[in-house]
Amino acid sequence: MYRQKRHTQRTIRTAAVAALVPLAVACGSEQGGQAGGGSSSAQPAAAVTGVRWSIDSVTVDGTTHRAPTDAHITIGAGGRSAGSYGCNTFSARTEVEGDRIRLSDPTATERACEGKPMAFEKTLARTLTDGGELKTEVNDGRLTLTASDGAVIRLKRSEDAPLKGTEWTVTTPDTRSRARLTFDPEENTVAGSLGCNEVNAEATVRDGHITLGVPAVTRMMCEDSLMDSERTLMKLFDSTVEYRIDHRTLTLTSENGISVRAVAE
């Protein structure tokens, strides 16, 4: 009787341990699943929205159409997206849900740009806004949008032009100006043309600001419009200006409110 009782107790303890093992595994699996889900769960909206995407191509019915250089889109998290088909700019109402986006009610300019493939613009516009939901897939800085009919738009993240080493052509205040500026990537200097005269000066870049030194300038005389623009640019020097780069556009704003805009060449 004693041996049988001990055997019975041992059997009960073994069964209890066996019952606990699956429970522990199940708990561990549940926690592991949560941890794994946290590390691998995608957040498409955050990965896709608020980024300027350059459009590489559109593939429709098996034919790939290459995009012009300026084609791009920024998918907005706030309900609107905006961009360029390559020539004409556009905006559209935007809905983002999980890994799907829907663009609708587009508005666009109606310019005809020489040397731009206008047929591409129509193809891109239809694919973006007429195909219903677009499935998003982000991989290594590239975005793929796939429509329900199989059409595919391929895009890549568009980086801002670097301040230093880029030749910046001044477009504002005078679009006719031939002014250009280049910040040296190794020296704290800036050099270029004010539209008529050549210029160089010290330029220290720090925390979104550029401290420009007293300029050394040639002394040529040009037509009045160029000289007016040059005098405006001269007011940026011997002071600290705020700078901002948006893709390929540089904006310099002086402490007294003068704003100069330039584009990367």
Side-chain angles (χ1 to χ4, degrees):
M1 291 290 293
Y2 177 73
R3 291 180 179 178
Q4 183 178 359
K5 183 177 181 181
R6 289 184 59 188
H7 177 73
T8 302
Q9 290 175 341
R10 187 180 299 114
T11 302
I12 292 172
R13 285 197 298 270
T14 302
V17 171
L20 287 172
V21 170
L23 179 60
V25 171
C27 292
S29 300
E30 182 179 353
Q31 293 170 353
Q34 291 172 347
S39 61
S40 63
S41 60
Q43 296 181 356
V48 170
T49 59
V51 177
R52 180 183 172 118
W53 298 100
S54 293
I55 300 171
D56 284 340
S57 65
V58 180
T59 301
V60 178
D61 296 331
T63 301
T64 298
H65 309 269
R66 304 301 304 178
T69 303
D70 296 332
H72 67 272
I73 183 173
T74 300
I75 301 170
R80 298 291 298 180
S81 294
S84 169
Y85 295 131
C87 167
N88 287 285
T89 58
F90 70 92
S91 67
R93 191 165 71 89
T94 306
E95 300 171 70
V96 180
E97 184 174 353
D99 64 348
R100 312 278 171 159
I101 65 171
R102 180 189 293 271
L103 278 67
S104 59
D105 303 326
T107 60
T109 57
E110 297 182 353
R111 295 178 296 172
C113 300
E114 185 177 352
K116 297 290 185 179
M118 304 307 290
F120 173 85
E121 296 210 350
K122 295 178 181 178
T123 300
L124 176 59
R126 286 195 302 267
T127 306
L128 279 174
T129 58
D130 293 352
E133 286 187 339
L134 298 168
K135 184 180 184 300
T136 67
E137 182 180 349
V138 180
N139 184 21
D140 194 24
R142 293 186 174 274
L143 169 64
T144 301
L145 302 177
T146 305
S148 57
D149 61 1
V152 176
I153 304 173
R154 290 183 172 84
L155 314 91
K156 62 184 176 184
R157 181 183 287 268
S158 180
E159 302 294 342
D160 290 339
L163 173 67
K164 294 185 176 183
T166 300
E167 184 176 78
W168 297 99
T169 299
V170 176
T171 58
T172 302
D174 188 351
T175 57
R176 298 170 299 172
S177 172
R178 298 185 294 270
R180 63 190 186 281
L181 298 171
T182 301
F183 295 87
D184 192 284
E186 298 180 357
E187 304 291 336
N188 291 330
T189 60
V190 61
S193 170
L194 298 175
C196 175
N197 287 283
E198 300 297 310
V199 64
N200 64 77
E202 292 185 352
T204 302
V205 181
R206 183 181 294 112
D207 299 330
H209 292 78
I210 307 172
T211 300
L212 296 169
V214 178
V217 188
T218 58
R219 296 183 178 276
M220 295 186 296
M221 293 298 295
C222 299
E223 58 186 88
D224 290 345
S225 62
L226 290 180
M227 299 306 294
D228 288 342
S229 176
E230 189 163 292
R231 280 189 282 272
T232 298
L233 293 176
M234 283 289 291
K235 293 178 182 178
L236 297 176
F237 291 88
D238 196 18
S239 68
T240 297
V241 299
E242 180 183 352
Y243 81 92
R244 182 173 60 87
I245 298 175
D246 180 11
H247 186 48
R248 302 186 67 79
T249 299
L250 168 66
T251 303
L252 302 174
T253 305
S254 69
E255 294 173 335
N256 57 7
I258 295 173
S259 182
V260 171
R261 185 170 296 179
V263 296
E265 294 296 334

